[in-house]
Amino acid sequence: MDTSKPAIFVNGALLPMHVRKRVRTVIQVMGSDRGAVVGKSPDDLQLVVKGSPPSAPLTNFVEVIGIADSEKSIQAETWTNFGDAFDTYSYNQLCQLANGEYQHLFL
Amino acid sequence: MYGSSQFDGSAAAFMGGGFMPTQTAQPPSDSSSFSISKNREARCLFPLTVKQINSLASNDESNFIIDGAEVNNVTIVGRVSHKEDKTSEYTFLVDDGTGQIECTKWPVTDFNEIPSHFIECIYVHFYNTRLRGVTTQPPVANSTSTPLKGYQAAPPYQSSAYSSASGLNNASQMILNFLQQPVYLEELQMLVDNGLVYTTINDDYYKSTVNA
């Protein structure tokens, strides 16, 4: 993992605060739209993920790391299948903590 | 270790991580000659020989320092021998000609481990900085044993005016801070009125009549 490019944990509500920055999140894949993947963020907001997914089929949950290019979309550089069962509630809590009073542990 | 799509495995992925731009690909025979990086950040990636790592272990265990710089992430290049494939992890020996070192590679099969790890980082940090230091905020309480009526979930933190200089230990201070929150003061008074708790050495110390 390249530690010179840290990525901020985000959910749908936090993404707008980090436009043009490197972010990471886990989406629940809902479908695709004009070549981009449409998914649900850990806090149930719709996000669009652009870029080149891996050739293998995407699982239900996918972690994406990349640059937030708008308040609702990410240009993903890295896609990682996280399987079909994932605790989005805990991940969402982590996003809030990592952007709140424990931000100094992450960035 | 985490996501095959992110682990590229090539030597280029480990070359300095962007902190040592002058570093070029080093052949294994050159691994014993390394230059001190001018970048002294703790996240610097150090190329080390196994011999250097072994000499670190015999020094201060809490803080690895080599040549005046703090060492956290390291790269080693050597031949893999003695692989052992266990269910949860994969251990192997790396021999770089200066020594052998055991490495462990953990396959992540449940991706909940990833947020779980970071949440643990937060918890341990919280434990070490808040609970061991001067306590100004109580931890989130669980409701398994409390007799308070209508108790659903812990309220947001409220700062306490008390400091630990009052002579209380950390656990007592935590409980005190928790009970000082206004909603609990009313409930506490109700418990006192009903003879379920009583004050002891002063008005801030309560004991249960049920299991005193």
Side-chain angles (χ1 to χ4, degrees):
Chain A
M1 188 175 292
D2 184 353
T3 57
S4 66
K5 295 190 290 182
I8 310 158
F9 281 99
V10 297
N11 56 17
L14 293 163
L15 183 60
M17 294 167 47
H18 300 292
V19 176
R20 288 185 300 278
K21 291 190 240 170
R22 176 163 277 98
V23 297
R24 65 191 294 185
T25 191
V26 175
I27 59 164
Q28 184 175 6
V29 177
M30 306 305 286
S32 62
D33 178 29
R34 286 171 284 190
V37 172
V38 178
K40 210 161 51 163
S41 68
D43 53 345
D44 280 345
L45 296 177
Q46 184 170 295
L47 294 182
V48 173
V49 184
K50 305 166 192 169
S52 308
S55 51
L58 295 178
T59 55
N60 192 19
F61 293 95
V62 178
E63 186 197 49
V64 294
I65 303 177
I67 305 294
D69 61 356
S70 81
E71 293 190 352
K72 290 187 186 308
S73 65
I74 297 171
Q75 185 71 35
E77 299 161 354
T78 308
W79 305 69
T80 308
N81 279 333
F82 265 32
D84 295 326
F86 186 73
D87 183 357
T88 54
Y89 177 80
S90 295
Y91 191 90
N92 190 45
Q93 298 286 298
L94 171 63
C95 291
Q96 291 169 358
L97 291 167
N99 279 272
E101 61 182 307
Y102 298 103
Q103 194 181 56
H104 59 283
L105 300 182
F106 292 85
L107 296 175
Chain B
M1 176 184 90
Y2 148 54
S4 56
S5 62
Q6 291 176 298
F7 184 74
D8 129 9
S10 68
F14 296 96
M15 286 294 109
F19 290 107
M20 289 176 275
T22 58
Q23 186 176 4
T24 54
Q26 293 178 356
S29 60
D30 201 34
S31 60
S32 59
S33 63
F34 85 111
S35 57
I36 301 167
S37 169
K38 291 195 167 57
N39 186 338
R40 303 250 172 189
E41 285 188 34
R43 284 180 291 171
C44 212
L45 197 57
F46 269 87
L48 295 177
T49 65
V50 172
K51 181 171 185 301
Q52 286 175 293
I53 294 174
N54 287 335
S55 68
L56 280 178
S58 60
N59 297 338
D60 184 353
E61 290 180 6
S62 63
N63 199 15
F64 294 111
I65 304 282
I66 185 162
D67 299 329
E70 189 177 327
V71 176
N72 285 292
N73 297 311
V74 303
T75 65
I76 56 173
V77 177
R79 294 183 69 247
V80 173
S81 63
H82 292 98
K83 297 176 288 186
E84 192 174 339
D85 194 351
K86 304 173 195 170
T87 315
S88 59
E89 62 199 44
Y90 185 86
T91 58
F92 51 95
L93 282 180
V94 175
D95 183 341
D96 72 346
T98 70
Q100 280 188 336
I101 190 164
E102 187 179 297
C103 303
T104 306
K105 180 176 180 291
W106 285 279
V108 173
T109 51
D110 180 356
F111 291 94
N112 288 307
E113 287 182 40
I114 294 164
S116 179
H117 163 74
F118 290 107
I119 289 168
E120 285 176 357
C121 294
I122 291 172
Y123 171 74
V124 171
H125 168 77
F126 171 82
Y127 178 83
N128 286 332
T129 56
R130 305 281 185 91
L131 300 188
R132 281 195 185 170
V134 174
T135 308
T136 55
Q137 292 177 342
V140 176
N142 66 58
S143 59
T144 51
S145 57
T146 176
L148 300 175
K149 270 189 195 175
Y151 180 81
Q152 295 296 332
Y157 289 163
Q158 295 179 22
S159 304
S160 165
Y162 279 76
S163 74
S164 60
S166 60
L168 301 171
N169 64 28
N170 276 341
S172 303
Q173 187 67 52
M174 278 162 27
I175 294 167
L176 176 64
N177 290 342
F178 172 69
L179 293 172
Q180 289 290 326
Q181 297 171 64
V183 62
Y184 296 115
L185 284 177
E186 289 175 17
E187 295 287 350
L188 204 50
Q189 188 56 48
M190 183 208 67
L191 292 169
V192 169
D193 293 342
N194 285 293
L196 293 169
V197 301
Y198 61 96
T199 53
T200 59
I201 57 173
N202 59 34
D203 286 343
D204 295 326
Y205 258 109
Y206 290 85
K207 255 192 153 171
S208 163
T209 57
V210 174
N211 58 359

